[in-house]
Amino acid sequence: MRKPVIAGNWKMHKTRDEALQFIFNVTVKVPNREFVETVICAQAPVLRDLVKRQGDHLRIGAQTMHEATEGAYTGETSAALLENIGVSYVIIGHSERREYYNETDETVNRKIHQAYRYDLAPIVCVGEDLSVREAGDTNLHVSAQIKQALKGLNEEQVASLIVAYEPIWAIGTGKTATPEQANDAIKNIRKVISALYNAEIAEQTRILYGGSVKPANIDALMQESDIDGALVGGASLSSKDFLTLVEAALPGK
Ligand code: PGA
């Protein structure tokens, strides 16, 4: 029922030429959006160029945005501008933003509201670090992040939300959570959403896994009951690998 999503997060990689070459390589090969949502999240200065060449089935996302509508926030990007240049998605609360730029659960919540004020689909990241995992507090930690992130959102917004469960210890480390660990954490997120809203809404929210997803592990992840796709860093830099991941997410695969 839930349409899978494969979102590439390029982080601070690729020049304009490299980015355009990638889009040229994938755009005609990306499967129909009716079956899988395919997204590339790039650095802000190339977003407009990529939107112009996204083709029929690929969509472009930003990696962050500011929660204010406009103002004296040197270096930041507004939701209004992202919408205005045709960007469709925005990653919010990535663990690197939380760690290096002091994003908190409160700013994440404000950014989600702001994304919905404009026509942007938020991809909201949550996840625990290794000490939390080892202490057995993963579900407690992630539940708290979800509760704060969703404050004040209406049912329709939560039903259309994309959440990415990304255990910090698995990001860029080559260490993937096992499909079972990922599915358990994602099931818990769905349970929290169900308790906050209702089971019907929770059944609609797409929840992705992120953390060292690559062609070698995508099939096992996608077989799990509650994993609706992936947020992919390193492996999204190669057009070949990225297309393999998108193909693997097609329903019935
Ligand atoms: P990775 O990054 O796939 O390189 O682990 C995932 C992410 O940070 O979204």
Side-chain angles (χ1 to χ4, degrees):
M1 276 240 357
R2 294 184 295 270
K3 194 197 291 186
V5 182
I6 297 291
N9 172 14
W10 282 352
K11 309 190 180 181
M12 204 170 73
H13 293 283
K14 293 199 190 287
T15 61
R16 175 174 180 273
D17 288 349
E18 289 163 352
L20 290 176
Q21 183 63 52
F22 180 107
I23 301 300
F24 177 79
N25 291 346
V26 306
T27 194
V28 291
K29 297 185 185 140
V30 166
N32 196 310
R33 280 182 66 71
E34 222 184 291
F35 307 116
V36 53
E37 282 177 35
T38 308
V39 186
I40 285 290
C41 300
Q43 297 181 69
V46 294
L47 291 173
R48 178 64 184 151
D49 282 339
L50 302 191
V51 165
K52 281 195 209 156
R53 295 165 178 83
Q54 67 189 5
D56 291 338
H57 301 302
L58 181 68
R59 288 293 174 271
I60 303 303
Q63 298 174 3
T64 184
M65 50 159 250
H66 200 272
E67 68 263 35
T69 299
E70 60 180 1
Y73 301 103
T74 302
E76 290 289 341
T77 305
S78 70
L81 178 58
L82 293 176
E83 183 202 58
N84 182 235
I85 64 172
V87 166
S88 311
Y89 295 76
V90 58
I91 298 174
I92 291 178
H94 189 280
S95 60
E96 287 151 17
R97 300 287 318 172
R98 292 176 189 255
E99 184 180 351
Y100 306 137
Y101 305 99
N102 303 321
E103 288 199 11
T104 62
D105 291 335
E106 287 72 26
T107 55
V108 165
N109 174 252
R110 289 200 288 272
K111 287 180 185 208
I112 300 171
H113 281 282
Q114 183 71 350
Y116 277 131
R117 264 176 223 121
Y118 293 84
D119 203 9
L120 298 168
I123 302 173
V124 180
C125 301
V126 294
E128 80 288 0
D129 65 20
L130 193 58
S131 64
V132 171
R133 161 77 46 181
E134 285 175 348
D137 290 337
T138 297
N139 286 348
L140 206 68
H141 178 83
V142 173
S143 302
Q145 287 181 315
I146 289 288
K147 281 181 196 154
Q148 183 60 41
L150 269 48
K151 266 196 184 153
L153 294 179
N154 64 37
E155 291 189 352
E156 197 191 329
Q157 290 169 331
V158 174
S160 70
L161 194 66
I162 302 172
V163 174
Y165 166 64
E166 299 205 305
I168 297 168
W169 49 271
I171 295 179
T173 57
K175 241 175 134 179
T176 329
T178 65
E180 296 73 31
Q181 283 175 322
N183 201 49
D184 284 352
I186 287 175
K187 270 187 165 167
N188 171 65
I189 293 172
R190 219 178 282 292
K191 216 168 81 189
V192 174
I193 297 175
S194 178
L196 290 172
Y197 293 83
N198 58 59
E200 205 183 309
I201 298 296
E203 275 305 306
Q204 294 175 64
T205 310
R206 268 90 54 84
I207 311 179
L208 319 181
Y209 167 74
S212 298
V213 174
K214 40 189 178 283
N217 57 29
I218 187 74
D219 288 334
L221 290 163
M222 290 307 299
Q223 269 162 30
E224 294 292 333
S225 60
D226 281 62
I227 303 180
D228 301 320
L231 180 57
V232 188
S236 74
L237 296 172
S238 145
S239 52
K240 186 168 164 281
D241 285 355
F242 183 68
L243 281 170
T244 305
L245 298 174
V246 177
E247 295 284 338
L250 278 170
K253 257 285 293 169

